[in-house]
Amino acid sequence: MTAASSDSSVPSEYDDAARFPLDSSGEERLIGRLLSRYRSAPALLGPGDDAAMIAAPDGRFVISVDTLVEDQDFRVEWPSGVRTSGYDVGWKSAAQNLSDINAMGAIATAAVISLSLPRDTPLEWVEGVALGFSAALEQLGAGRCSIAGGDVGRSGEISITAAVTGHLSGAEPRVRSGARPHHVIAVCGHLGAAGAGLALLDQPAASGVSERPWSSDEQRCVDLQLRPEPPLREGPVAVARRASSMMDISDGLLRDAGRIARASGVVMAIDSSALTFDLDMLRDAGERLETNPLNWTLTGGEGHALLATYASLEDVPSGWHAIGEVRAGQPQVLVDNQEPSALGFDHFSGV
Amino acid sequence: MTAASSDSSVPSEYDDAARFPLDSSGEERLIGRLLSRYRSAPALLGPGDDAAMIAAPDGRFVISVDTLVEDQDFRVEWPSGVRTSGYDVGWKSAAQNLSDINAMGAIATAAVISLSLPRDTPLEWVEGVALGFSAALEQLGAGRCSIAGGDVGRSGEISITAAVTGHLSGAEPRVRSGARPHHVIAVCGHLGAAGAGLALLDQPAASGVSERPWSSDEQRCVDLQLRPEPPLREGPVAVARRASSMMDISDGLLRDAGRIARASGVVMAIDSSALTFDLDMLRDAGERLETNPLNWTLTGGEGHALLATYASLEDVPSGWHAIGEVRAGQPQVLVDNQEPSALGFDHFSGV
């Protein structure tokens, strides 16, 4: 008997089997059911014991951890009326964590996932997390990553934490401190779309700006907020092209470029005319929300593009965009030779 | 400017610096401040980039993840009036996660920690988490474990997730499926004290049973609930003595012995007369709460003792207690040759 089945506070629309079980034997069954939904490469020793075992062929591994919390990192229901599915949350957790591994130049080898869930979370939603996580691994190019274990527990709000490991095949990891004057600044992936998508999702459904349905470009921005598409094959490519520094853009181009500037002790000088590659996709949202789309390009987070520096333009891999140059000087970010705060955009505090 | 400093809902007893900051540059400062509180062995590449790099000298590593959530795994204030400190939560998170690595026979190499915190969490409490986690590493015998990175975010309730990795020096990991008939069942560590401590903490301060202050034994039980002491040096010892199966006792001896029984396809026959080694410590709590202390020994969780099987009594390391034998038969746990439900204890559902 699970404690849940004796508790009348559980909404009646879910039958016993679909409730989130409370006790530890119920948890074991739920983990088993969830693990059967995950699709991933096998580990040396998979789930079922106190820990899993993963290969680290060159005797080293990289590791990172990230958490998504309801109402902080996503909303179960957005002001626009869009509902975030378990699939979306699983995908986003995978994308965000794999992006950190990618940004070191590594290939993901394993993920362990801890889910904290309110008791009335529908089992279908929870299974969606597993399906979305697995789909992101496969579709983003991390098919060699094992889902090596997990933990499911009760909580007052939905929270998912994943730790992901990766291997570098003997190469040195890319860090933030290697940018040098005259190096070329380059990005790969989407810039600004996830930020525009967030702005669209946050528009109240009843407001005038939400009357027209979203265009296909606007829908694509929303999709990239809910299910980011980090360029997972490009981290190792950047290593092969001897990127001198690298990180992923989680908090916006300006803020993250500022981190490379400080870690490397350099000026990151960005040319806004080189930031047009995703602007077409942002135009409709910009018109609807009366926002200069370049604002999202410069400050929008959660897109998980790669930001790197290369010794020369010839080293920048195809599919990447050269967007500026590294200069000597007090650590700062410049856009068109000006401090960003002089450009009149919002959200520049803390850059 | 942090968003927190413009929000009047923050309790006034904490000054600006002691508030939990909201925006991402504030988070960076907080992570820096927290990392300065952690004390641990260095990693190959430490915090500061998108991922840390850890050595895996034999080309493999084990990994596990666990979460503690406020009001599920601990209470900020217990019915007894005891308050859980950040130090307690940090210690417990380390102990619980390191115990999983120990149970594989491995030595912990790295931990990554994700903290989710309500905005009114005092900075002192948050720093306590780092101090408690570090102290557990050092005092429990995991001084070679690096704190390799972390993530701090906002949430409605306190939650801490740690993923821990370990290495096996080329040995095979101990799993749950290796117990065979005639093997000896043995445990190492505390059995029942954390469960008795939980029962004491859950007694309302105003109730009659809480009138007398706790005895030193009762206080020790409470301490072992708040800050468990898994025997972290014993996992590798068990490997050296060729333990045939091993796990840590998170959910109570009977329930966890049931997991070895099912994974190995054997009967785990426990002799209650061999379970007396910690009973003295439980006696005062048993009298106060009118509970047979053996109940806590058999079913109390969160003590993180090791449960293992060995081919013979001579293989059981010193400091371990032989508590029964493995038999052929349908997977089940027996206590004094009876099914536990026949013994009249509570909490046996799901064994």
Side-chain angles (χ1 to χ4, degrees):
Chain A
M1 189 192 82
T2 68
S5 65
S6 63
D7 187 329
S8 60
S9 73
V10 174
S12 59
E13 67 258 45
Y14 308 122
D15 66 17
D16 260 28
R19 285 176 196 162
F20 176 58
L22 179 73
D23 71 359
S24 90
S25 66
E27 180 189 323
E28 209 159 345
R29 283 193 302 270
L30 178 62
I31 290 177
R33 187 159 167 172
L34 280 177
L35 287 175
S36 76
R37 292 291 185 281
Y38 285 113
R39 294 277 171 271
S40 74
L44 293 179
L45 175 70
D49 285 283
D50 288 329
M53 190 163 70
I54 312 298
D58 69 357
R60 311 168 308 168
F61 61 94
V62 291
I63 183 167
S64 174
V65 68
D66 260 314
T67 296
L68 295 174
V69 178
E70 175 182 357
D71 291 340
Q72 305 296 332
D73 302 294
F74 65 90
R75 295 192 185 278
V76 172
E77 182 167 357
W78 296 86
S80 59
V82 171
R83 295 184 70 86
T84 302
S85 65
Y87 187 98
D88 294 334
V89 170
W91 179 293
K92 189 165 183 165
S93 173
Q96 169 183 285
N97 280 280
L98 292 165
S99 182
D100 283 331
I101 300 303
N102 190 41
M104 303 301 283
I107 291 172
T109 50
V112 289
I113 303 162
S114 181
L115 264 177
S116 298
L117 299 166
R119 72 175 316 149
D120 60 356
T121 310
L123 185 53
E124 185 190 13
W125 198 98
V126 185
E127 291 182 324
V129 174
L131 294 171
F133 203 104
S134 307
L137 292 187
E138 194 184 316
Q139 293 176 37
L140 296 176
R144 289 153 72 184
C145 180
S146 306
I147 295 172
D151 178 34
V152 179
R154 283 271 306 280
S155 60
E157 63 202 349
I158 298 171
S159 175
I160 175 170
T161 299
V164 178
T165 61
H167 82 96
L168 279 153
S169 307
E172 286 311 298
R174 298 303 108 157
V175 294
R176 300 177 184 181
S177 55
R180 297 291 174 264
H182 311 301
H183 285 190
V184 176
I185 305 170
V187 297
C188 183
H190 291 294
L191 218 49
L198 179 64
L200 289 166
L201 285 164
D202 271 343
Q203 285 301 314
S207 71
V209 294
S210 298
E211 264 171 21
R212 270 180 301 120
W214 288 331
S215 71
S216 60
D217 281 341
E218 289 175 310
Q219 184 62 52
R220 177 84 175 121
C221 291
V222 167
D223 289 347
L224 285 169
Q225 164 61 223
L226 297 176
R227 296 186 297 280
E229 298 179 9
L232 294 189
R233 291 188 178 86
E234 295 299 320
V237 169
V239 171
R241 301 300 278 264
R242 299 172 306 282
S244 54
S245 71
M246 188 156 61
M247 67 182 299
D248 85 317
I249 301 179
S250 305
D251 293 325
L253 172 60
L254 293 181
R255 185 163 279 162
D256 287 325
R259 291 177 172 135
I260 289 184
R262 287 193 296 279
S264 297
V266 296
V267 176
M268 298 285 277
I270 291 168
D271 176 4
S272 72
S273 70
L275 295 174
T276 54
F277 56 89
D278 262 357
L279 277 186
D280 277 350
M281 184 175 20
L282 312 182
R283 211 172 306 278
D284 290 348
E287 281 175 19
R288 182 191 298 269
L289 302 174
E290 295 176 1
T291 298
N292 182 340
L294 196 58
N295 196 352
W296 292 314
T297 304
L298 289 169
T299 66
E302 301 178 281
H304 302 296
L306 285 177
L307 172 64
T309 55
Y310 292 91
S312 75
L313 203 56
E314 292 74 52
D315 292 322
V316 177
S318 75
W320 289 63
H321 308 276
I323 63 164
E325 61 167 7
V326 182
R327 297 180 190 160
Q330 284 296 102
Q332 65 174 320
V333 179
L334 298 177
V335 177
D336 302 340
N337 298 314
Q338 297 179 75
E339 292 191 26
S341 58
L343 296 174
F345 294 117
D346 300 330
H347 311 305
F348 281 173
S349 68
V351 168
Chain B
M1 188 192 82
T2 68
S5 64
S6 63
D7 186 329
S8 61
S9 73
V10 174
S12 59
E13 67 256 49
Y14 308 121
D15 65 16
D16 260 26
R19 283 176 199 162
F20 176 58
L22 179 71
D23 70 0
S24 93
S25 67
E27 181 189 322
E28 209 159 347
R29 284 194 301 273
L30 178 62
I31 290 177
R33 187 160 168 174
L34 279 179
L35 287 174
S36 75
R37 292 290 183 283
Y38 285 112
R39 292 277 171 271
S40 73
L44 293 180
L45 175 71
D49 285 282
D50 289 326
M53 192 163 69
I54 311 300
D58 69 358
R60 309 169 309 167
F61 61 93
V62 292
I63 184 167
S64 174
V65 66
D66 261 313
T67 297
L68 295 174
V69 178
E70 175 181 0
D71 290 340
Q72 304 296 332
D73 302 295
F74 64 91
R75 295 190 184 278
V76 172
E77 182 167 358
W78 295 86
S80 59
V82 170
R83 295 184 70 86
T84 302
S85 66
Y87 187 97
D88 294 335
V89 169
W91 179 293
K92 188 164 185 167
S93 173
Q96 170 184 281
N97 280 280
L98 293 165
S99 181
D100 283 330
I101 299 302
N102 190 41
M104 303 300 285
I107 292 172
T109 51
V112 289
I113 303 163
S114 181
L115 264 177
S116 298
L117 300 166
R119 72 175 316 149
D120 61 354
T121 310
L123 187 52
E124 186 190 13
W125 199 97
V126 185
E127 291 182 324
V129 174
L131 294 171
F133 203 103
S134 307
L137 290 188
E138 194 182 318
Q139 294 176 38
L140 295 176
R144 291 153 69 185
C145 180
S146 306
I147 293 171
D151 177 36
V152 180
R154 285 270 306 282
S155 60
E157 63 201 349
I158 298 171
S159 175
I160 177 170
T161 299
V164 179
T165 62
H167 81 97
L168 278 152
S169 308
E172 286 311 297
R174 298 301 110 160
V175 294
R176 300 177 184 181
S177 54
R180 296 290 173 266
H182 310 300
H183 286 190
V184 176
I185 304 170
V187 296
C188 183
H190 291 295
L191 218 49
L198 179 64
L200 289 165
L201 285 163
D202 270 342
Q203 284 301 313
S207 70
V209 294
S210 298
E211 264 172 20
R212 272 178 301 119
W214 288 332
S215 71
S216 60
D217 280 339
E218 289 174 311
Q219 184 63 52
R220 178 82 176 120
C221 291
V222 167
D223 290 347
L224 285 169
Q225 164 61 222
L226 297 176
R227 296 185 296 281
E229 298 179 9
L232 294 190
R233 290 188 178 84
E234 295 298 321
V237 169
V239 170
R241 302 298 278 266
R242 300 173 304 283
S244 54
S245 71
M246 186 154 64
M247 67 181 299
D248 85 316
I249 301 178
S250 304
D251 294 324
L253 173 60
L254 293 182
R255 185 164 279 164
D256 286 325
R259 291 177 172 136
I260 290 183
R262 286 193 297 278
S264 298
V266 297
V267 176
M268 298 284 279
I270 292 168
D271 175 5
S272 72
S273 70
L275 295 174
T276 54
F277 55 89
D278 260 359
L279 276 186
D280 277 351
M281 184 177 17
L282 311 183
R283 210 171 308 278
D284 289 349
E287 281 175 18
R288 181 190 297 268
L289 301 174
E290 297 177 358
T291 298
N292 181 340
L294 196 58
N295 196 352
W296 292 314
T297 305
L298 290 170
T299 67
E302 302 178 282
H304 302 296
L306 285 177
L307 172 64
T309 55
Y310 292 91
S312 74
L313 202 55
E314 293 73 51
D315 293 321
V316 177
S318 75
W320 288 64
H321 309 276
I323 63 164
E325 62 166 7
V326 182
R327 296 180 191 161
Q330 283 298 101
Q332 65 173 322
V333 179
L334 297 177
V335 177
D336 303 339
N337 299 315
Q338 297 179 76
E339 292 191 27
S341 58
L343 296 172
F345 294 117
D346 299 332
H347 312 306
F348 282 173
S349 67
V351 167

